[in-house]
Amino acid sequence: MKSITIKGSERESVGKSATKAARNAGMVPCVLYGGDQPVHFIAEEKSFKGLVYTPNVHTVAVELAGGKNYEAILQDIQFDPVSDKILHIDFYQLDPKKEITMEVPVKVIGNSKGVMAGGVLRLNQRKLKVRALPANLPDFVEADITELEMGNKLYITKIPTNNFKLLQPDNTVICQVKISRAAMKAAQEAAKAEKGAKGKKK
């Protein structure tokens, strides 16, 4: 999985006044959990743009002043309900020897036979929960729709996994090709025409 680097500095004070001052200066208060003790730090708000405002998923390389570096994932984020500015972010420190659970986006590949015949592709799952060691976390999960005919569904059991596990039930539908109104109308008209032709032959 791709990584984004967030550079910051540890917080000397975590009180309300210090937190308010940090936000007024364009900084975001953060906490890193998962280690021996929580690490409180601040980082520039603009540095989170590629991490927060994107459909993609990344791990995070937290680099703090003084040479302290951590590998982490975004665990929780709080926004201001009025301005939508980032108020606070929680990170979770990764252990290279311990599996982690994350949601990753679904990437559709291939050209469905059903779609080419006039059907409509419906994506039921835009993200899937995966579990893997940090080094094996995928950027996305591929869903190959090539063999989907009109009315077919692609189940999670058909998704290839490589060094990671999918945590959804086996009957989870990733996507399906539904019959469009135009295709249904065309089929009805064809059936009506065929019925009429048979009637004339009699």
Side-chain angles (χ1 to χ4, degrees):
M1 179 175 286
K2 294 177 182 177
S3 178
I4 285 183
T5 300
I6 300 295
K7 296 183 179 182
S9 56
E10 286 194 68
R11 297 177 65 189
E12 296 179 1
S13 175
V14 294
K16 289 184 178 180
S17 58
T19 298
K20 184 177 180 180
R23 288 176 181 148
N24 289 338
M27 308 296 281
V28 176
C30 306
V31 182
L32 176 67
Y33 295 101
D36 295 331
Q37 58 185 11
V39 178
H40 297 264
F41 68 97
I42 53 175
E44 290 187 15
E45 185 177 7
K46 62 182 181 181
S47 64
F48 296 101
K49 184 178 180 181
L51 177 66
V52 177
Y53 305 105
T54 174
N56 300 320
V57 181
H58 304 85
T59 55
V60 182
V62 178
E63 296 182 358
L64 302 182
K68 295 182 179 180
N69 301 322
Y70 307 91
E71 288 296 322
I73 58 170
L74 192 155
Q75 188 175 47
D76 189 37
I77 184 167
Q78 296 175 21
F79 294 96
D80 185 288
V82 178
S83 66
D84 209 31
K85 290 183 65 175
I86 301 172
L87 294 178
H88 184 89
I89 296 181
D90 288 342
F91 291 95
Y92 185 81
Q93 187 175 344
L94 296 177
D95 184 331
K97 296 180 181 179
K98 292 183 180 179
E99 290 186 330
I100 188 76
T101 299
M102 284 189 71
E103 280 194 339
V104 300
V106 173
K107 181 180 180 181
V108 175
I109 61 171
N111 295 311
S112 164
K113 296 177 181 178
V115 171
M116 288 190 287
V120 177
L121 180 69
R122 179 182 176 187
L123 189 59
N124 298 61
Q125 305 290 331
R126 296 187 179 277
K127 288 188 176 182
L128 293 174
K129 279 188 178 180
V130 304
R131 187 167 182 81
L133 291 172
N136 295 331
L137 286 169
D139 291 310
F140 50 80
V141 175
E142 285 191 350
D144 190 347
I145 63 171
T146 304
E147 298 302 319
L148 288 186
E149 301 277 3
M150 195 94 72
N152 285 175
K153 297 178 180 179
L154 181 67
Y155 290 92
I156 199 168
T157 50
K158 297 295 184 180
I159 302 296
T161 57
N162 183 21
N163 296 324
F164 65 87
K165 303 169 189 173
L166 292 171
L167 302 183
Q168 284 76 11
D170 288 349
N171 63 350
T172 300
V173 176
I174 305 301
C175 56
Q176 57 187 311
V177 178
K178 304 195 78 174
I179 301 174
S180 65
R181 290 182 180 179
M184 189 178 294
K185 186 177 180 181
Q188 290 173 345
E189 289 178 351
K192 188 177 180 181
E194 186 179 348
K195 186 177 180 181
K198 288 181 179 179
K200 289 181 179 179
K201 288 180 180 179
K202 291 179 180 180

